[in-house]
Amino acid sequence: MSAAITKVLIANRGEIAVRVIRACHELDIKAVAVFSDADRLALHVRMADEAYHIGPSPSKDSYLVQEKILEVAAKSDADAIHPGYGFLAENAEFAEKVERAGLLFIGPTADAMRVMGDKTAARQRMSEAKVPIVPGTETPLPDARAAAKTASKVGFPVMLKAAAGGGGKGMRIVRTEDEIESAFRAASSEAESAFGDGRVYLEKYIEAPRHIEFQILADHHGNVVHLGERECSIQRRHQKVIEEAPSCVLDDELRARMGEAAVKAAAACGYRNAGTIEFMFDKNRNFYFLEMNTRLQVEHPVTEMITGLDLVKEQLRIAAGEPLGYSQEDIRFNGHAVECRIYAEDPANNFLPSTGVIQCMTQPSGPGVRDDNGYYSGAEVSIYYDPLISKLVTWGRDRNEAIARMKRALREYLVHGVDTSIPFCEIVMNHPDFVSGEFDTHFIENKFLSANGADTLGDETDQRESEVAALAATLFHVQSGTRVVSVDGKCQDGMSGWKRAGRNRR
Ligand code: MV4
């Protein structure tokens, strides 16, 4: 069963659409772009072989309109649809519609998406497959009394989570028995308004875990392999900022055990395509299944850098029905990779998106540097979408070399016209606890916010976030004054790069 793919519609925008187009072109496959009003001049539109307008700027009127995308697929005579990440990537109905239209969906089955989308169903499935899960319930809790009962069984603190959730919404930490009733009601109503599904379940709360996830690949023939892990603990508000591969806390033995668990997890839901098993890793080196992401992830390049594989090409081959063609023993890891997400955001303004025209942009290059970009000089970062401009990835023979190259690449990276997360990434790359590898998921809030010990979730968050913003802003203003940089050539607005570099270095 192998269906040749000759033309792929990319139902996405920005850097990931560009990334998929690149893989298509390397495989001599035609790439069809779709775009909204705001994206008429976007990079993915320029790079594609054909591009079709699908509606107004808001994603709900364009990139999320399933019928429009299917219509373009038919009109352009595409064989397959690649959803990228976000938008329709984990929408089971869309995957079904694509297949019903006689097209290949470059992703898993709708069934696997549904199981993994329901967090209690996923926990049940994992527990049956003997993949370690955090102690707690495998079904939603009927009421606050049941919550209290389970909590006293697993021991406080516990965490209430939305069954339909993921990514941090509808979660509550409960530290004592007398908090549980109100926390249950709060979590349930938050889940109801966020997902239209108020079901809540409970887990023992893991203090300061690391987030370590395993990349897997599964084909249509029952072959599943893992491609090692990514360390994703450096995040703020459930948004990853820096990722790396491998994680400096795993050894070969633990990597093999966690990788085996990841493979079992994928097999247990009949998975095919590229996928990610997220684990929490605690102080005692226990690991627990957290969630499965049934898509290509933002941070996939760090895995590509250490395995030499092209995950998008693998996805295309898998969708076409080809067998993986290699087994676990054939997967070799080489060196270390770090990724910094370059967001258009303003650290002085609570990291709010910094929108506008990118007047001038000089991307870094040189040994061990890869920049997966979605924009060009003169392109506009609009208010409508995620403000990720690019992903800067460096590779080194070891972690120190990868970090040194990242620091070098970050200082080469010039963006004028919008504020970016580049200075913040520079601060992290120089932080002793990042450099030593001693960090957990609370790194950003702990190191850049006041040390008042409050937890991350709940009402304190906003106040603490403005503190981190203020600190980061101060740091980078101090830092920027110490540099002498030059830029070649003229910017889009006609100002010479030399003059610009002198007057508004970042
Ligand atoms: C947890 C946890 C501690 N204990 N569950 C946050 C996002 C959601 N996907 C799951 N999350 C967490 N679940 C238990 N039982 C801590 C977090 C958590 C977290 C997890 C992964 C990466 C970053 C995080 C940041 C804060 C909290």
PDB file of all heavy atoms in Angstrom, residues 290-320:
ATOM      1  N   LEU A 290       2.487  12.371  30.635  1.00  0.00           N
ATOM      2  CA  LEU A 290       1.699  13.589  30.858  1.00  0.00           C
ATOM      3  C   LEU A 290       0.622  13.725  29.784  1.00  0.00           C
ATOM      4  O   LEU A 290      -0.563  13.715  30.066  1.00  0.00           O
ATOM      5  CB  LEU A 290       2.625  14.809  30.877  1.00  0.00           C
ATOM      6  CG  LEU A 290       2.001  16.159  31.227  1.00  0.00           C
ATOM      7  CD1 LEU A 290       1.333  16.148  32.587  1.00  0.00           C
ATOM      8  CD2 LEU A 290       3.065  17.254  31.172  1.00  0.00           C
ATOM      9  N   GLU A 291       1.055  13.826  28.529  1.00  0.00           N
ATOM     10  CA  GLU A 291       0.119  13.957  27.413  1.00  0.00           C
ATOM     11  C   GLU A 291       0.802  13.445  26.162  1.00  0.00           C
ATOM     12  O   GLU A 291       2.024  13.355  26.124  1.00  0.00           O
ATOM     13  CB  GLU A 291      -0.218  15.438  27.150  1.00  0.00           C
ATOM     14  CG  GLU A 291      -1.186  16.044  28.130  1.00  0.00           C
ATOM     15  CD  GLU A 291      -1.282  17.562  28.018  1.00  0.00           C
ATOM     16  OE1 GLU A 291      -0.985  18.109  26.941  1.00  0.00           O
ATOM     17  OE2 GLU A 291      -1.655  18.181  29.016  1.00  0.00           O
ATOM     18  N   MET A 292       0.009  13.132  25.147  1.00  0.00           N
ATOM     19  CA  MET A 292       0.607  12.849  23.839  1.00  0.00           C
ATOM     20  C   MET A 292       0.181  13.933  22.864  1.00  0.00           C
ATOM     21  O   MET A 292      -0.992  14.302  22.811  1.00  0.00           O
ATOM     22  CB  MET A 292       0.175  11.496  23.297  1.00  0.00           C
ATOM     23  CG  MET A 292       0.777  11.234  21.927  1.00  0.00           C
ATOM     24  SD  MET A 292       0.558   9.557  21.360  1.00  0.00           S
ATOM     25  CE  MET A 292       1.625   9.571  19.911  1.00  0.00           C
ATOM     26  N   ASN A 293       1.131  14.448  22.104  1.00  0.00           N
ATOM     27  CA  ASN A 293       0.829  15.426  21.061  1.00  0.00           C
ATOM     28  C   ASN A 293       0.828  14.701  19.727  1.00  0.00           C
ATOM     29  O   ASN A 293       1.831  14.117  19.326  1.00  0.00           O
ATOM     30  CB  ASN A 293       1.844  16.550  21.065  1.00  0.00           C
ATOM     31  CG  ASN A 293       1.852  17.272  22.389  1.00  0.00           C
ATOM     32  OD1 ASN A 293       0.789  17.558  22.956  1.00  0.00           O
ATOM     33  ND2 ASN A 293       3.017  17.536  22.926  1.00  0.00           N
ATOM     34  N   THR A 294      -0.328  14.760  19.068  1.00  0.00           N
ATOM     35  CA  THR A 294      -0.503  13.953  17.855  1.00  0.00           C
ATOM     36  C   THR A 294      -0.200  14.764  16.604  1.00  0.00           C
ATOM     37  O   THR A 294      -0.973  14.779  15.663  1.00  0.00           O
ATOM     38  CB  THR A 294      -1.933  13.390  17.818  1.00  0.00           C
ATOM     39  OG1 THR A 294      -2.860  14.480  17.889  1.00  0.00           O
ATOM     40  CG2 THR A 294      -2.186  12.457  18.987  1.00  0.00           C
ATOM     41  N   ARG A 295       0.925  15.466  16.631  1.00  0.00           N
ATOM     42  CA  ARG A 295       1.271  16.361  15.521  1.00  0.00           C
ATOM     43  C   ARG A 295       2.789  16.506  15.442  1.00  0.00           C
ATOM     44  O   ARG A 295       3.502  16.076  16.342  1.00  0.00           O
ATOM     45  CB  ARG A 295       0.683  17.749  15.801  1.00  0.00           C
ATOM     46  CG  ARG A 295       1.236  18.321  17.115  1.00  0.00           C
ATOM     47  CD  ARG A 295       0.894  19.772  17.350  1.00  0.00           C
ATOM     48  NE  ARG A 295       1.597  20.306  18.499  1.00  0.00           N
ATOM     49  CZ  ARG A 295       1.164  20.245  19.748  1.00  0.00           C
ATOM     50  NH1 ARG A 295       0.016  19.667  20.021  1.00  0.00           N
ATOM     51  NH2 ARG A 295       1.890  20.753  20.742  1.00  0.00           N
ATOM     52  N   LEU A 296       3.234  17.150  14.390  1.00  0.00           N
ATOM     53  CA  LEU A 296       4.629  17.589  14.314  1.00  0.00           C
ATOM     54  C   LEU A 296       4.741  18.767  15.269  1.00  0.00           C
ATOM     55  O   LEU A 296       3.903  19.656  15.261  1.00  0.00           O
ATOM     56  CB  LEU A 296       4.931  18.058  12.887  1.00  0.00           C
ATOM     57  CG  LEU A 296       6.352  18.542  12.620  1.00  0.00           C
ATOM     58  CD1 LEU A 296       7.308  17.359  12.605  1.00  0.00           C
ATOM     59  CD2 LEU A 296       6.426  19.311  11.309  1.00  0.00           C
ATOM     60  N   GLN A 297       5.790  18.795  16.102  1.00  0.00           N
ATOM     61  CA  GLN A 297       5.859  19.883  17.068  1.00  0.00           C
ATOM     62  C   GLN A 297       6.788  21.008  16.655  1.00  0.00           C
ATOM     63  O   GLN A 297       7.699  20.809  15.853  1.00  0.00           O
ATOM     64  CB  GLN A 297       6.271  19.330  18.423  1.00  0.00           C
ATOM     65  CG  GLN A 297       5.078  18.628  19.072  1.00  0.00           C
ATOM     66  CD  GLN A 297       5.316  18.307  20.501  1.00  0.00           C
ATOM     67  OE1 GLN A 297       5.764  17.231  20.815  1.00  0.00           O
ATOM     68  NE2 GLN A 297       5.019  19.250  21.387  1.00  0.00           N
ATOM     69  N   VAL A 298       6.550  22.154  17.261  1.00  0.00           N
ATOM     70  CA  VAL A 298       7.388  23.322  16.992  1.00  0.00           C
ATOM     71  C   VAL A 298       8.872  22.950  17.130  1.00  0.00           C
ATOM     72  O   VAL A 298       9.695  23.299  16.291  1.00  0.00           O
ATOM     73  CB  VAL A 298       7.044  24.464  17.981  1.00  0.00           C
ATOM     74  CG1 VAL A 298       7.964  25.662  17.762  1.00  0.00           C
ATOM     75  CG2 VAL A 298       5.591  24.872  17.865  1.00  0.00           C
ATOM     76  N   GLU A 299       9.192  22.240  18.197  1.00  0.00           N
ATOM     77  CA  GLU A 299      10.592  21.989  18.557  1.00  0.00           C
ATOM     78  C   GLU A 299      11.201  20.775  17.859  1.00  0.00           C
ATOM     79  O   GLU A 299      12.282  20.318  18.254  1.00  0.00           O
ATOM     80  CB  GLU A 299      10.731  21.861  20.078  1.00  0.00           C
ATOM     81  CG  GLU A 299       9.903  20.753  20.730  1.00  0.00           C
ATOM     82  CD  GLU A 299       8.486  21.180  21.147  1.00  0.00           C
ATOM     83  OE1 GLU A 299       7.949  22.135  20.551  1.00  0.00           O
ATOM     84  OE2 GLU A 299       7.921  20.547  22.040  1.00  0.00           O
ATOM     85  N   HIS A 300      10.543  20.258  16.815  1.00  0.00           N
ATOM     86  CA  HIS A 300      11.073  19.066  16.148  1.00  0.00           C
ATOM     87  C   HIS A 300      12.503  19.222  15.598  1.00  0.00           C
ATOM     88  O   HIS A 300      13.237  18.239  15.520  1.00  0.00           O
ATOM     89  CB  HIS A 300      10.122  18.576  15.040  1.00  0.00           C
ATOM     90  CG  HIS A 300      10.178  19.402  13.792  1.00  0.00           C
ATOM     91  ND1 HIS A 300       9.433  20.547  13.620  1.00  0.00           N
ATOM     92  CD2 HIS A 300      10.919  19.267  12.666  1.00  0.00           C
ATOM     93  CE1 HIS A 300       9.719  21.073  12.445  1.00  0.00           C
ATOM     94  NE2 HIS A 300      10.615  20.314  11.840  1.00  0.00           N
ATOM     95  N   PRO A 301      12.950  20.454  15.241  1.00  0.00           N
ATOM     96  CA  PRO A 301      14.298  20.543  14.651  1.00  0.00           C
ATOM     97  C   PRO A 301      15.441  20.057  15.549  1.00  0.00           C
ATOM     98  O   PRO A 301      16.436  19.551  15.044  1.00  0.00           O
ATOM     99  CB  PRO A 301      14.442  22.035  14.328  1.00  0.00           C
ATOM    100  CG  PRO A 301      13.053  22.500  14.079  1.00  0.00           C
ATOM    101  CD  PRO A 301      12.239  21.755  15.109  1.00  0.00           C
ATOM    102  N   VAL A 302      15.303  20.208  16.879  1.00  0.00           N
ATOM    103  CA  VAL A 302      16.433  19.751  17.709  1.00  0.00           C
ATOM    104  C   VAL A 302      16.629  18.240  17.578  1.00  0.00           C
ATOM    105  O   VAL A 302      17.758  17.750  17.609  1.00  0.00           O
ATOM    106  CB  VAL A 302      16.334  20.173  19.207  1.00  0.00           C
ATOM    107  CG1 VAL A 302      16.491  21.688  19.359  1.00  0.00           C
ATOM    108  CG2 VAL A 302      15.063  19.690  19.877  1.00  0.00           C
ATOM    109  N   THR A 303      15.527  17.522  17.391  1.00  0.00           N
ATOM    110  CA  THR A 303      15.624  16.076  17.168  1.00  0.00           C
ATOM    111  C   THR A 303      16.254  15.785  15.809  1.00  0.00           C
ATOM    112  O   THR A 303      17.080  14.881  15.667  1.00  0.00           O
ATOM    113  CB  THR A 303      14.218  15.443  17.274  1.00  0.00           C
ATOM    114  OG1 THR A 303      13.709  15.692  18.583  1.00  0.00           O
ATOM    115  CG2 THR A 303      14.254  13.949  16.998  1.00  0.00           C
ATOM    116  N   GLU A 304      15.865  16.583  14.803  1.00  0.00           N
ATOM    117  CA  GLU A 304      16.458  16.404  13.476  1.00  0.00           C
ATOM    118  C   GLU A 304      17.967  16.608  13.514  1.00  0.00           C
ATOM    119  O   GLU A 304      18.724  15.886  12.860  1.00  0.00           O
ATOM    120  CB  GLU A 304      15.818  17.384  12.482  1.00  0.00           C
ATOM    121  CG  GLU A 304      14.335  17.147  12.295  1.00  0.00           C
ATOM    122  CD  GLU A 304      13.714  18.005  11.209  1.00  0.00           C
ATOM    123  OE1 GLU A 304      14.056  19.203  11.104  1.00  0.00           O
ATOM    124  OE2 GLU A 304      12.875  17.486  10.466  1.00  0.00           O
ATOM    125  N   MET A 305      18.391  17.603  14.285  1.00  0.00           N
ATOM    126  CA  MET A 305      19.816  17.941  14.330  1.00  0.00           C
ATOM    127  C   MET A 305      20.650  16.821  14.948  1.00  0.00           C
ATOM    128  O   MET A 305      21.804  16.632  14.566  1.00  0.00           O
ATOM    129  CB  MET A 305      20.039  19.242  15.110  1.00  0.00           C
ATOM    130  CG  MET A 305      19.346  20.453  14.521  1.00  0.00           C
ATOM    131  SD  MET A 305      19.971  20.950  12.916  1.00  0.00           S
ATOM    132  CE  MET A 305      21.151  22.183  13.403  1.00  0.00           C
ATOM    133  N   ILE A 306      20.096  16.105  15.923  1.00  0.00           N
ATOM    134  CA  ILE A 306      20.916  15.055  16.562  1.00  0.00           C
ATOM    135  C   ILE A 306      20.693  13.672  15.967  1.00  0.00           C
ATOM    136  O   ILE A 306      21.442  12.744  16.270  1.00  0.00           O
ATOM    137  CB  ILE A 306      20.758  15.018  18.099  1.00  0.00           C
ATOM    138  CG1 ILE A 306      19.344  14.618  18.514  1.00  0.00           C
ATOM    139  CG2 ILE A 306      21.163  16.362  18.726  1.00  0.00           C
ATOM    140  CD1 ILE A 306      19.289  14.048  19.926  1.00  0.00           C
ATOM    141  N   THR A 307      19.658  13.503  15.125  1.00  0.00           N
ATOM    142  CA  THR A 307      19.436  12.182  14.509  1.00  0.00           C
ATOM    143  C   THR A 307      19.766  12.180  13.022  1.00  0.00           C
ATOM    144  O   THR A 307      19.910  11.103  12.435  1.00  0.00           O
ATOM    145  CB  THR A 307      17.962  11.726  14.647  1.00  0.00           C
ATOM    146  OG1 THR A 307      17.127  12.702  14.008  1.00  0.00           O
ATOM    147  CG2 THR A 307      17.553  11.556  16.096  1.00  0.00           C
ATOM    148  N   GLY A 308      19.834  13.364  12.414  1.00  0.00           N
ATOM    149  CA  GLY A 308      20.080  13.427  10.981  1.00  0.00           C
ATOM    150  C   GLY A 308      18.852  13.113  10.143  1.00  0.00           C
ATOM    151  O   GLY A 308      18.922  13.077   8.912  1.00  0.00           O
ATOM    152  N   LEU A 309      17.708  12.885  10.792  1.00  0.00           N
ATOM    153  CA  LEU A 309      16.480  12.612  10.045  1.00  0.00           C
ATOM    154  C   LEU A 309      15.753  13.909   9.712  1.00  0.00           C
ATOM    155  O   LEU A 309      15.917  14.919  10.405  1.00  0.00           O
ATOM    156  CB  LEU A 309      15.551  11.718  10.860  1.00  0.00           C
ATOM    157  CG  LEU A 309      15.930  10.238  10.918  1.00  0.00           C
ATOM    158  CD1 LEU A 309      15.213   9.555  12.072  1.00  0.00           C
ATOM    159  CD2 LEU A 309      15.573   9.552   9.601  1.00  0.00           C
ATOM    160  N   ASP A 310      14.944  13.876   8.675  1.00  0.00           N
ATOM    161  CA  ASP A 310      14.072  14.988   8.327  1.00  0.00           C
ATOM    162  C   ASP A 310      12.656  14.531   8.675  1.00  0.00           C
ATOM    163  O   ASP A 310      12.078  13.687   7.986  1.00  0.00           O
ATOM    164  CB  ASP A 310      14.202  15.309   6.838  1.00  0.00           C
ATOM    165  CG  ASP A 310      13.324  16.475   6.412  1.00  0.00           C
ATOM    166  OD1 ASP A 310      12.161  16.549   6.859  1.00  0.00           O
ATOM    167  OD2 ASP A 310      13.810  17.313   5.621  1.00  0.00           O
ATOM    168  N   LEU A 311      12.119  15.058   9.765  1.00  0.00           N
ATOM    169  CA  LEU A 311      10.838  14.537  10.265  1.00  0.00           C
ATOM    170  C   LEU A 311       9.676  14.792   9.311  1.00  0.00           C
ATOM    171  O   LEU A 311       8.741  14.008   9.254  1.00  0.00           O
ATOM    172  CB  LEU A 311      10.535  15.115  11.651  1.00  0.00           C
ATOM    173  CG  LEU A 311      11.431  14.590  12.774  1.00  0.00           C
ATOM    174  CD1 LEU A 311      11.058  15.222  14.107  1.00  0.00           C
ATOM    175  CD2 LEU A 311      11.317  13.077  12.891  1.00  0.00           C
ATOM    176  N   VAL A 312       9.727  15.884   8.568  1.00  0.00           N
ATOM    177  CA  VAL A 312       8.629  16.149   7.633  1.00  0.00           C
ATOM    178  C   VAL A 312       8.683  15.166   6.466  1.00  0.00           C
ATOM    179  O   VAL A 312       7.663  14.635   6.032  1.00  0.00           O
ATOM    180  CB  VAL A 312       8.638  17.612   7.152  1.00  0.00           C
ATOM    181  CG1 VAL A 312       7.471  17.870   6.206  1.00  0.00           C
ATOM    182  CG2 VAL A 312       8.580  18.567   8.345  1.00  0.00           C
ATOM    183  N   LYS A 313       9.889  14.887   6.001  1.00  0.00           N
ATOM    184  CA  LYS A 313      10.013  13.872   4.937  1.00  0.00           C
ATOM    185  C   LYS A 313       9.546  12.510   5.449  1.00  0.00           C
ATOM    186  O   LYS A 313       8.889  11.759   4.717  1.00  0.00           O
ATOM    187  CB  LYS A 313      11.460  13.762   4.474  1.00  0.00           C
ATOM    188  CG  LYS A 313      11.911  14.899   3.575  1.00  0.00           C
ATOM    189  CD  LYS A 313      13.205  14.472   2.892  1.00  0.00           C
ATOM    190  CE  LYS A 313      14.086  15.640   2.578  1.00  0.00           C
ATOM    191  NZ  LYS A 313      15.441  15.206   2.220  1.00  0.00           N
ATOM    192  N   GLU A 314       9.874  12.213   6.698  1.00  0.00           N
ATOM    193  CA  GLU A 314       9.408  10.941   7.278  1.00  0.00           C
ATOM    194  C   GLU A 314       7.880  10.920   7.329  1.00  0.00           C
ATOM    195  O   GLU A 314       7.263   9.902   7.015  1.00  0.00           O
ATOM    196  CB  GLU A 314       9.996  10.731   8.681  1.00  0.00           C
ATOM    197  CG  GLU A 314      11.506  10.501   8.703  1.00  0.00           C
ATOM    198  CD  GLU A 314      11.957   9.352   7.800  1.00  0.00           C
ATOM    199  OE1 GLU A 314      11.500   8.209   8.003  1.00  0.00           O
ATOM    200  OE2 GLU A 314      12.756   9.597   6.879  1.00  0.00           O
ATOM    201  N   GLN A 315       7.277  12.038   7.709  1.00  0.00           N
ATOM    202  CA  GLN A 315       5.813  12.105   7.744  1.00  0.00           C
ATOM    203  C   GLN A 315       5.210  11.854   6.364  1.00  0.00           C
ATOM    204  O   GLN A 315       4.209  11.154   6.228  1.00  0.00           O
ATOM    205  CB  GLN A 315       5.345  13.497   8.185  1.00  0.00           C
ATOM    206  CG  GLN A 315       5.497  13.803   9.647  1.00  0.00           C
ATOM    207  CD  GLN A 315       4.795  15.114   9.970  1.00  0.00           C
ATOM    208  OE1 GLN A 315       5.185  16.170   9.469  1.00  0.00           O
ATOM    209  NE2 GLN A 315       3.760  15.058  10.791  1.00  0.00           N
ATOM    210  N   LEU A 316       5.842  12.439   5.361  1.00  0.00           N
ATOM    211  CA  LEU A 316       5.326  12.277   3.994  1.00  0.00           C
ATOM    212  C   LEU A 316       5.461  10.826   3.542  1.00  0.00           C
ATOM    213  O   LEU A 316       4.547  10.261   2.949  1.00  0.00           O
ATOM    214  CB  LEU A 316       6.068  13.225   3.039  1.00  0.00           C
ATOM    215  CG  LEU A 316       5.730  14.714   3.213  1.00  0.00           C
ATOM    216  CD1 LEU A 316       6.787  15.603   2.570  1.00  0.00           C
ATOM    217  CD2 LEU A 316       4.350  15.035   2.636  1.00  0.00           C
ATOM    218  N   ARG A 317       6.606  10.221   3.871  1.00  0.00           N
ATOM    219  CA  ARG A 317       6.817   8.812   3.487  1.00  0.00           C
ATOM    220  C   ARG A 317       5.821   7.911   4.192  1.00  0.00           C
ATOM    221  O   ARG A 317       5.257   6.998   3.585  1.00  0.00           O
ATOM    222  CB  ARG A 317       8.248   8.368   3.831  1.00  0.00           C
ATOM    223  CG  ARG A 317       9.331   8.984   2.954  1.00  0.00           C
ATOM    224  CD  ARG A 317      10.595   8.108   2.896  1.00  0.00           C
ATOM    225  NE  ARG A 317      11.071   7.742   4.213  1.00  0.00           N
ATOM    226  CZ  ARG A 317      11.011   6.511   4.722  1.00  0.00           C
ATOM    227  NH1 ARG A 317      10.502   5.513   4.017  1.00  0.00           N
ATOM    228  NH2 ARG A 317      11.481   6.275   5.931  1.00  0.00           N
ATOM    229  N   ILE A 318       5.614   8.183   5.483  1.00  0.00           N
ATOM    230  CA  ILE A 318       4.678   7.368   6.251  1.00  0.00           C
ATOM    231  C   ILE A 318       3.263   7.497   5.683  1.00  0.00           C
ATOM    232  O   ILE A 318       2.569   6.500   5.478  1.00  0.00           O
ATOM    233  CB  ILE A 318       4.704   7.768   7.751  1.00  0.00           C
ATOM    234  CG1 ILE A 318       6.021   7.328   8.398  1.00  0.00           C
ATOM    235  CG2 ILE A 318       3.509   7.172   8.498  1.00  0.00           C
ATOM    236  CD1 ILE A 318       6.288   7.952   9.770  1.00  0.00           C
ATOM    237  N   ALA A 319       2.845   8.738   5.399  1.00  0.00           N
ATOM    238  CA  ALA A 319       1.496   8.970   4.868  1.00  0.00           C
ATOM    239  C   ALA A 319       1.302   8.250   3.541  1.00  0.00           C
ATOM    240  O   ALA A 319       0.207   7.783   3.221  1.00  0.00           O
ATOM    241  CB  ALA A 319       1.245  10.464   4.709  1.00  0.00           C
ATOM    242  N   ALA A 320       2.386   8.146   2.761  1.00  0.00           N
ATOM    243  CA  ALA A 320       2.302   7.470   1.468  1.00  0.00           C
ATOM    244  C   ALA A 320       2.267   5.954   1.622  1.00  0.00           C
ATOM    245  O   ALA A 320       2.146   5.226   0.630  1.00  0.00           O
ATOM    246  CB  ALA A 320       3.486   7.875   0.589  1.00  0.00           C
TER     247      ALA A 320
END
